[in-house]
Amino acid sequence: MKALQVSIMGLCLTGFLACAQNSKTPKQVLDSFSEKFPTAKYVKWDKENETEWEAEFKMDGIKYSANFDTDGAWKETEHKVKSSEVPEQIKTALTTAFPDSKIEDIEVSDTKSGRFYEFMIEKGETDMEIVIDSKGNIVKKEMKDEEDSDND
């Protein structure tokens, strides 16, 4: 009986370790991630699409997501921020273009092209995603319907 319990525990542990390592994620993606984020913890991998992998992880107590192409090239890192962490120039650009709107969510997106601030706002009955670059230029304005908002 005791040998059976030990065997079951061993199988459970082996299954857990296999899931934690996600052997389907390409080695070059894992290597690039480890090099770029050496202090990342609690890493979870998912295939974003046919050419991209996404890691969700924690670093310095903050939740991040980072995307890499299948060759291991870094594409983007995102994390949520508070309004108080957004530069005044960016807040001014948003409130000037969308007065009387309510900010529901803010993320910072770092890419090879630079830093972008992504806002989910509500203006009346309309939900929108607004992306502003680090110079205060609105680079994207997209209407969101209820389904889009619920899935983000």
Side-chain angles (χ1 to χ4, degrees), residues 73-84:
W74 171 77
K75 298 181 70 88
E76 174 184 41
T77 303
E78 292 181 324
H79 70 281
K80 290 186 180 208
V81 294
K82 297 175 186 170
S83 182
S84 60

Side-chain angles (χ1 to χ4, degrees), residues 65-114:
S65 69
N67 291 53
F68 293 80
D69 69 20
T70 53
D71 294 329
W74 171 77
K75 298 181 70 88
E76 174 184 41
T77 303
E78 292 181 324
H79 70 281
K80 290 186 180 208
V81 294
K82 297 175 186 170
S83 182
S84 60
E85 299 173 82
V86 177
E88 285 304 317
Q89 169 183 340
I90 307 304
K91 287 187 212 176
T92 300
L94 181 70
T95 56
T96 300
F98 303 96
D100 304 320
S101 61
K102 177 184 171 198
I103 298 172
E104 296 180 333
D105 192 40
I106 309 168
E107 288 187 344
V108 170
S109 173
D110 290 308
T111 70
K112 291 178 183 177
S113 301

Side-chain angles (χ1 to χ4, degrees), residues 97-149:
F98 303 96
D100 304 320
S101 61
K102 177 184 171 198
I103 298 172
E104 296 180 333
D105 192 40
I106 309 168
E107 288 187 344
V108 170
S109 173
D110 290 308
T111 70
K112 291 178 183 177
S113 301
R115 175 165 276 193
F116 298 88
Y117 295 85
E118 301 176 356
F119 297 89
M120 284 301 299
I121 65 168
E122 183 180 289
K123 186 168 171 88
E125 296 295 314
T126 306
D127 290 331
M128 292 189 283
E129 178 183 10
I130 308 301
V131 180
I132 302 175
D133 69 15
S134 58
K135 295 177 182 171
N137 301 309
I138 295 173
V139 295
K140 179 180 174 186
K141 177 175 107 173
E142 182 178 312
M143 305 294 263
K144 295 286 191 176
D145 60 27
E146 288 297 319
E147 276 187 26
D148 291 339
S149 298

